[in-house]
Amino acid sequence: MVGADQSRSFEKKVKRFASTEKSSLDREIKRIMRDPHLGEEKKRDLRGVYVHKFKTNTIQYLLSYRMVGNDLGLIMIGPHENYYRDLKKYLKTR
């Protein structure tokens, strides 16, 4: 990827992406690295987690991340359906 730490969940999803989706994802990650507050910071039990929405082809993806010091930690990516439920479940197990 572009120089950010990735969770195992993130890696597994990206492996299934087509090359056009991967290049679009790389562009978005570079944008986030330039401006870490690009995404919307979540509240309550997701405090400290940012979610950036972007579209590739016809699918809107949500990309969650957090800043760990000066490093970008990529947590999860996927379509909107059940995204926040799955994100909360994933973070609880970490």
Side-chain angles (χ1 to χ4, degrees):
M1 201 55 38
V2 241
D5 295 327
Q6 302 173 43
S7 71
R8 187 74 184 121
S9 168
F10 187 88
E11 284 180 41
K12 286 165 68 174
K13 288 263 170 101
V14 172
K15 278 184 181 180
R16 291 186 246 144
F17 276 24
S19 62
T20 56
E21 292 172 315
K22 284 182 184 179
S23 63
S24 178
L25 174 61
D26 281 345
R27 268 194 312 277
E28 294 300 322
I29 292 172
K30 287 176 185 174
R31 286 182 62 207
I32 292 169
M33 290 176 86
R34 283 192 301 271
D35 180 13
H37 300 288
L38 185 64
E40 179 185 337
E41 184 174 11
K42 296 296 150 187
K43 305 202 179 347
R44 295 194 181 120
D45 49 349
L46 292 177
R47 174 181 237 130
V49 174
Y50 291 82
V51 174
H52 173 61
K53 297 177 184 180
F54 68 97
K55 234 180 189 172
T56 178
N57 297 333
T58 58
I59 302 169
Q60 181 174 13
Y61 285 103
L62 281 69
L63 167 63
S64 57
Y65 63 95
R66 65 176 138 207
M67 295 305 294
V68 183
N70 289 330
D71 297 330
L72 180 66
L74 303 171
I75 303 170
M76 202 169 105
I77 188 166
H80 194 279
E81 187 177 345
N82 299 324
Y83 184 82
Y84 290 103
R85 181 200 66 193
D86 296 344
L87 177 59
K88 286 178 187 180
K89 188 190 314 183
Y90 177 80
L91 291 174
K92 273 186 184 175
T93 64
R94 299 291 165 247

